[in-house]
Amino acid sequence: MNVKATLSPEDMARACADAMWKEDDASKGVGMEIVEIKPGLAVMAMTVQPHMVNGQRICHGGYIFTLADSAFAFACNSHNHRAVAAQGNITFIRPGKLGDRLVATAREVTRNGRSGIYDVRVTAGDAVIAEFRGHSRVIPGTWLPVAETDNK
């Protein structure tokens, strides 16, 4: 079946996210949820739990990075090309606190050939917690079946 001929870009993005989510034990393991998926866009959320706070009694930066990285991953895999992170940077702006619902919104900045750049903003309510930029690299494979001619 040629999914490009049968699915809208929005439906394809959602189907790719569903396929990826089934295998994503890391994101599920820290309690993330997918809020929204569109081509080149992913919104994910996570509530800061007691095991996520550090000695300063704020959310450990690694969990904030993980949330941003997961949103980035779902955004760059929304076009039915498997993609991985080549690089990621984060700037922490405010601390996340116990009980905060952190929301990461990943947006595609550019995608050309096998490379992409994505910006992710992590918020708690109206407060910006962190800004992340990720560079993706397409690897062999797809999330959904495609016709032979679409894979060349």
Side-chain angles (χ1 to χ4, degrees):
M1 171 177 74
N2 180 350
V3 296
K4 288 184 180 180
T6 59
L7 294 177
S8 71
E10 290 77 16
D11 289 341
M12 182 180 295
R14 185 70 229 186
C16 290
D18 290 345
M20 193 171 155
W21 184 254
K22 287 179 188 173
E23 302 298 324
D24 190 346
D25 296 333
S27 297
K28 289 185 279 193
V30 295
M32 287 183 207
E33 64 180 275
I34 298 172
V35 176
E36 182 179 5
I37 296 288
K38 292 183 178 174
L41 178 127
V43 181
M44 298 186 73
M46 172 184 81
T47 299
V48 179
Q49 302 294 320
H51 67 276
M52 297 175 175
V53 296
N54 61 22
Q56 302 287 351
R57 305 312 299 157
I58 58 176
C59 185
H60 189 288
Y63 286 102
I64 297 168
F65 187 98
T66 300
L67 175 63
D69 185 49
S70 288
F72 160 53
F74 278 87
C76 69
N77 279 276
S78 65
H79 302 287
N80 200 29
H81 298 285
R82 287 187 182 249
V84 295
Q87 188 253 334
N89 276 343
I90 196 163
T91 301
F92 299 107
I93 298 167
R94 287 190 179 89
K97 298 177 185 149
L98 181 62
D100 279 354
R101 178 176 164 83
L102 302 180
V103 177
T105 302
R107 297 181 194 286
E108 189 174 272
V109 175
T110 186
R111 191 168 58 101
N112 186 32
R114 293 179 54 208
S115 300
I117 299 175
Y118 294 77
D119 284 342
V120 184
R121 176 169 281 175
V122 179
T123 59
D126 292 333
V128 177
I129 302 298
E131 295 282 354
F132 171 102
R133 174 161 274 192
H135 296 239
S136 67
R137 187 77 171 163
V138 171
I139 60 172
T142 60
W143 291 104
L144 308 171
V146 296
E148 277 297 309
T149 57
D150 290 335
N151 244 353
K152 294 181 179 177

